[in-house]
Amino acid sequence: MVQATPFLLVLCLALGAQGLSEKKCSLTGRWVNDLGSNMTIRAVNANGDFAGTYHTAVTATSNEIKVSPLRGSRGQGPNQKGQPTFGFTVNWSFS
């Protein structure tokens, strides 16, 4: 969860801007944080479900860090403040 925190902050800031409608919300693409970790989200389906990969650049060992799969879901409508919501989990793959 520690490595996901910077991504959540960046995504919340990017998607939570005032006046951003749900139609303008696009999660697809490559997201990179200031530590060099990156997350790639593929297309979001009609149900709001999406999948992708997460590759962390942060480690406390010399072992190879593998790309890890992620799954998530975008809310079907905006929250009470009119902002889009989403969540995701990462299934970590370490060697």
Side-chain angles (χ1 to χ4, degrees):
M1 181 64 180
V2 174
Q3 283 80 8
T5 302
F7 276 115
L8 292 176
L9 177 59
V10 170
L11 289 172
C12 287
L13 291 173
L15 298 175
Q18 290 294 332
L20 182 64
S21 71
E22 183 182 9
K23 291 181 182 179
K24 294 181 182 179
C25 175
S26 176
L27 294 175
T28 59
R30 184 171 182 250
W31 300 82
V32 180
N33 70 12
D34 56 348
L35 298 175
S37 299
N38 66 76
M39 176 173 66
T40 301
I41 298 176
R42 295 186 291 273
V44 179
N45 71 19
N47 293 327
D49 299 325
F50 59 88
T53 59
Y54 189 106
H55 188 253
T56 184
V58 180
T59 182
T61 72
S62 60
N63 293 345
E64 176 189 3
I65 302 172
K66 296 182 179 181
V67 175
S68 301
L70 70 83
R71 290 198 169 278
S73 181
R74 185 188 67 208
Q76 293 299 318
N79 65 12
Q80 292 177 347
K81 295 183 180 183
Q83 300 168 339
T85 57
F86 65 94
F88 66 91
T89 60
V90 178
N91 183 10
W92 298 109
S93 300
F94 295 105
S95 62

